[in-house]
Amino acid sequence: MRRYLGLSILACLAYSLVAPLLSIAMTDLPSTLAVFLSNSVMFVTVGLVIRYRGLSVRPYLRHPRTPYIAVMGVLLTVGLLTYYRALALGPVSVVVPIYGLFIVVSSLVGIVAFDEAVTARKVAAIGLSVLAIALMSV
């Protein structure tokens, strides 16, 4: 199996537990605090991985593509703050599928912005994804 497939499956399995655990945690914690604490753990963990791998962040601070990372960081912050808040207010079974529409939107951005190939199978998959999410969210 290609390495990225195994990593994708692991990422899916790990991330699949995030929403249910957040839902439990946020019964007593404000959503903004949950974002802060969970991402603090992520920040420290990623820092340890960077150190373990012997990487240096400094050379990349002036990299021409670093502004993209900064914008992505802002978008990720907005996405996480609103996602956590939605999970604090609504049921996991409704919030997660709607949030999952990012897969459809990202696919469309890839097609439009990066001129990725459009096939009948991709169009069908996107359409069925929207239908599945609509059905799950009702």
Side-chain angles (χ1 to χ4, degrees):
M1 178 168 25
R2 294 186 176 128
R3 185 163 186 219
Y4 67 87
L5 293 176
L7 292 171
S8 297
I9 291 168
L10 179 60
C12 175
L13 293 174
Y15 206 73
S16 294
L17 297 175
V18 169
L21 291 173
L22 278 172
S23 185
I24 294 167
M26 289 188 301
T27 58
D28 295 341
L29 292 174
S31 60
T32 305
L33 184 59
V35 172
F36 178 77
L37 292 173
S38 62
N39 283 280
S40 294
V41 171
M42 182 181 67
F43 183 76
V44 169
T45 304
V46 171
L48 291 171
V49 170
I50 288 170
R51 185 177 178 105
Y52 174 78
R53 290 187 176 175
L55 300 173
S56 174
V57 174
R58 189 171 297 145
Y60 297 99
L61 295 176
R62 294 181 188 220
H63 192 279
R65 301 244 167 111
T66 298
Y68 292 101
I69 299 297
V71 170
M72 192 245 6
V74 170
L75 295 172
L76 182 61
T77 301
V78 170
L80 287 176
L81 285 169
T82 55
Y83 177 53
Y84 282 42
R85 186 69 182 141
L87 284 169
L89 298 173
V92 172
S93 62
V94 174
V95 172
V96 172
I98 293 170
Y99 172 76
L101 275 171
F102 80 86
I103 295 168
V104 170
V105 175
S106 294
S107 297
L108 293 173
V109 168
I111 290 168
V112 172
F114 301 119
D115 201 29
E116 294 178 359
V118 178
T119 64
R121 187 173 82 183
K122 283 184 184 178
V123 170
I126 289 170
L128 290 172
S129 296
V130 171
L131 177 62
I133 290 166
L135 290 172
M136 290 175 67
S137 299
V138 177

